[in-house]
Amino acid sequence: MKRRLRICALFLALCVMFLGACSKQPRRSGQMRSGAETELEAANVPAIALTVASGRYSTGFFTSDKLSIVSAAAADGGTVYLWGRNFQNEIESNWLIRYNPDGTSEEYKLSLSAGGYITALDVSAGEVYYLERVDAEDESAAWFLHTLQAQETLDWAGAGNELENLIAAGNTAYLTDGKTLYTCSLPDGKVLHAANAETEITTLLCKKDETIVAYCEDTGNLYELDHGGEALTKAGTLPLLFHSGKLLPGTNSGYDCLVLGQAELFGWNIDEASAVQLLSFDTYGLVSNNISAFASLGNGAFLGAAWKSGELQDRLFRLEPSEEAAEPGSERVLKLAGLSRPMVLSSAIADFKAMRPEYTVEYTDYAELYGDQALQQLQLDLMQGNAPDLLFVNGLPFEQYAKRGLLENLYAWMDADDSCARSDFTQNLLKALESADHNLYQIPQSYSIVTTAGMRDIAGSRSDWTYAAVNEELASSKTLLSAFYGETGESLVVTLPLYMMATFVDYENVESHFDSAEAIAFFTFLNNVQPHTQIPYTAENELEALQKGEILFAQMMLLSPEQFSETDELFDGELIYPGYPDAAGGSFYCNLPMAIPAAAQEKDGAWAFMRMLFSSDFYTTRGGWLPLQSGFEASLQEALANGASEKNIRKLAQMQENIHCAAYYEEAISDILADETSYLFAGARTVEEAAARIDQRVQLYLTEQWG
């Protein structure tokens, strides 16, 4: 029983971590840091100027019967070689295919020893070189350097070596082993020199002047190899813009290296303080994170391979400059925007591009572009006709936009769409999202159910919980040590208002109630939260603490029927689900809520994109349910078929049916709460003083925003 409690408690802890992570949109790196930290970063990490190349590309997708899984690409003299594996009749073979600029190709089967595998491959002057490792049963290992015609044993390498990052240049090969860079002779592979970096070398590059550059990802440092091959000298630090990107050789491109960014391709000459954004992958239906191989063919063309979830074979693609202007009306721009970039966006854009090729999709991250002025700029764009077509609204002052008539009523779009109707959706979810005038201005891609669990003999003592009641219970109980397990006041002030925003803010009348009795009780509760290490728990985890009566509530984010059923069964029916104080029963937590601005130019495309998202489980990256009721019901039936208790499944269905509110996050108000309560937690202000300050600032914000 205790082991099962620990496993389930771990799952609950992950859900609570996800809850905290998702409740606040990511900011640009540096916005949450102190001034000193920001200055230090600016001093150590170089800035880089960026220009955006003009021009259009055409995308051609194709497959190869020799390459099921593509491992890498190597460019050489206007050609690109793709290396990978093929699986036929459960037999694996390794292949290399040379793709020429004129579209022709040649195939080469790569020779390997029994049990051997390739660790790196490169091509130079038309000659192919690759490293093979063969592990023996006695835990020894042999290494070989291959060409297409022969192989040489690397008798200096063994099981303790991890040789990779091969560059062949003339009569010399460069390869890495951890933080060591070896210079070897070709074709025999004998070591000529060895040089060490301070940390592990993750990427090798060859600049246009033939200087070898080693990049160490964990430090961000770049090192140049001297002409003798005996020493690596630090040559700089990777610009911050490229830290989340992948560095690739720039062969054939005119640059020292290519950088695959989150959504863009950059060309960069390493010694220069500027770079060029060559293209946006979104525009051409590609997902940067899914690209397994990429290289330049020359003359502005690129070749690569990408995988797609659910498909057994990688797709190859060719990007070529296109001089043809789009025919009028044949290509349209669909503009998406939000306060940060959603994780699933690249995949969604690629899928939408495949379904609706007439659209070019562009995304604007307002927080990234405008920083502290993001909300003001977005509001100006919505009002002045420069609105995006589809808006991801989490963190935005959504109620304000709806009340001002800046958003489309989505009920009208449902009613006009033969493929979906209002009745298809979870009805109480729609009701929870409706405005005061009974219109619908947002739809989530999916939702989770957020609630709390409590032991019947403790949490069942009241029909409705408030923070005044929580404070009273904690003060009078002899067994309760805290309301929630392992939470700090700083974390709770971010998450708990999500479920009680309507208690504190009257958007309809533009009034703040953060100085009300309910708010005073809430801030009193927060101020009494002790550090976890100072609370004398005997339980090792949240569920065990709940079982022992040491906490009042266990926080739950329900993502599937199976998760709920397993947790409920642990307590033999003794759990009840009261929800959070002021949010009885539970709340809908909306993942990726979406809206269409009234000033949008491509409303048809925006609705089609939105419909694709809320109709597919593919974009529900962490679990949860689509807003279509059929998906929820199907998940219950599947859980029953897999052995879940019918009683527990009925309990979950009843819980979902009875929810009447949705969690609401507004970044500006959350920032005010975090800022002002920091003085409360430090003892610099009383509860009443903090409440008055928060109420004053929120009221000012509401008045400024709503007029």
Side-chain angles (χ1 to χ4, degrees), residues 114-140:
Y117 56 93
I118 298 172
T119 63
L121 180 146
D122 195 28
V123 182
S124 177
E127 183 65 83
V128 177
Y129 302 91
Y130 57 100
L131 293 169
E132 178 193 14
R133 175 175 174 138
V134 183
D135 293 317
E137 291 185 0
D138 63 0
E139 299 185 356
S140 64

Side-chain angles (χ1 to χ4, degrees), residues 290-578:
N290 293 357
I291 293 176
S292 55
F294 191 87
S296 172
L297 274 164
N299 297 318
F302 302 94
L303 190 77
W307 61 271
K308 184 177 179 181
S309 180
E311 295 187 0
L312 300 179
Q313 184 172 33
D314 287 353
R315 295 191 301 169
L316 310 185
F317 61 85
R318 184 169 175 145
L319 285 168
E320 294 186 282
S322 175
E323 299 296 333
E324 298 180 6
E327 296 182 9
S330 65
E331 186 173 86
R332 297 147 71 177
V333 177
L334 182 67
K335 297 188 294 184
L336 315 180
L339 281 185
S340 66
R341 184 182 176 88
M343 291 176 58
V344 299
L345 185 62
S346 292
S347 295
I349 289 175
D351 292 342
F352 184 76
K353 182 75 175 173
M355 294 191 307
R356 301 290 294 270
E358 71 272 21
Y359 278 104
T360 294
V361 183
E362 298 177 353
Y363 184 76
T364 299
D365 183 334
Y366 272 79
E368 184 70 29
L369 283 179
Y370 302 108
D372 293 338
Q373 302 302 310
L375 294 180
Q376 292 89 325
Q377 184 62 48
L378 177 56
Q379 183 165 301
L380 285 174
D381 290 346
L382 290 172
M383 297 177 66
Q384 296 180 359
N386 190 32
D389 301 305
L390 180 65
L391 187 60
F392 298 108
V393 300
N394 195 30
L396 297 175
F398 172 79
E399 295 273 0
Q400 174 203 146
Y401 298 160
K403 188 175 182 181
R404 288 188 173 183
L406 299 178
L407 303 176
E408 288 280 300
N409 178 15
L410 299 178
Y411 278 144
W413 287 90
M414 290 181 191
D415 296 341
D417 192 334
D418 293 337
S419 66
C420 66
R422 297 192 198 194
S423 58
D424 295 334
F425 291 82
T426 298
Q427 294 303 294
N428 52 322
L429 172 63
L430 295 188
K431 290 295 182 184
L433 296 175
E434 276 187 0
S435 63
D437 58 0
H438 303 294
N439 289 331
L440 182 71
Y441 297 107
Q442 63 169 320
I443 296 178
Q445 187 279 320
S446 57
Y447 69 87
S448 308
I449 295 174
V450 184
T451 188
T452 61
M455 296 297 290
R456 187 179 302 277
D457 58 347
I458 300 176
S461 62
R462 301 172 189 264
S463 57
D464 290 305
W465 282 95
T466 64
Y467 281 101
V470 170
N471 293 336
E472 181 182 330
E473 195 74 24
L474 291 174
S476 61
S477 174
K478 296 181 179 179
T479 60
L480 285 173
L481 300 177
S482 65
F484 304 104
Y485 186 85
E487 290 278 11
T488 64
E490 289 82 358
S491 64
L492 291 172
V493 77
V494 173
T495 56
L496 294 179
L498 294 173
Y499 317 114
M500 51 193 302
M501 192 63 77
T503 301
F504 297 146
V505 180
D506 182 351
Y507 288 98
E508 188 67 20
N509 295 306
V510 195
E511 293 177 355
S512 170
H513 298 307
F514 275 102
D515 60 350
S516 63
E518 292 88 349
I520 295 293
F522 175 60
F523 294 131
T524 300
F525 164 75
L526 291 176
N527 199 39
N528 290 335
V529 174
Q530 294 177 277
H532 180 76
T533 54
Q534 295 181 15
I535 302 176
Y537 294 115
T538 61
E540 296 180 5
N541 57 58
E542 185 175 26
L543 289 185
E544 189 177 338
L546 188 67
Q547 186 184 46
K548 290 185 172 184
E550 295 181 348
I551 61 173
L552 188 53
F553 305 116
Q555 301 184 76
M556 300 186 71
M557 175 172 276
L558 301 177
L559 307 171
S560 70
E562 290 82 0
Q563 174 208 350
F564 173 79
S565 182
E566 180 178 353
T567 304
D568 195 72
E569 287 179 358
L570 287 174
F571 289 83
D572 299 323
E574 289 303 311
L575 284 184
I576 62 170
Y577 302 93

Side-chain angles (χ1 to χ4, degrees), residues 665-698:
Y665 164 63
E666 186 172 336
E667 182 171 11
I669 293 179
S670 183
D671 286 348
I672 292 172
L673 286 168
D675 182 29
E676 292 296 337
T677 54
S678 65
Y679 298 96
L680 174 67
F681 299 145
R685 290 190 185 132
T686 66
V687 166
E688 290 74 17
E689 289 170 340
R693 284 277 302 173
I694 291 168
D695 188 67
Q696 182 182 32
R697 287 184 61 180
V698 172

Side-chain angles (χ1 to χ4, degrees), residues 45-65:
V45 181
I48 192 165
L50 187 65
T51 58
V52 180
S54 60
R56 296 167 47 82
Y57 284 81
S58 61
T59 312
F61 291 97
F62 60 102
T63 58
S64 166
D65 60 359

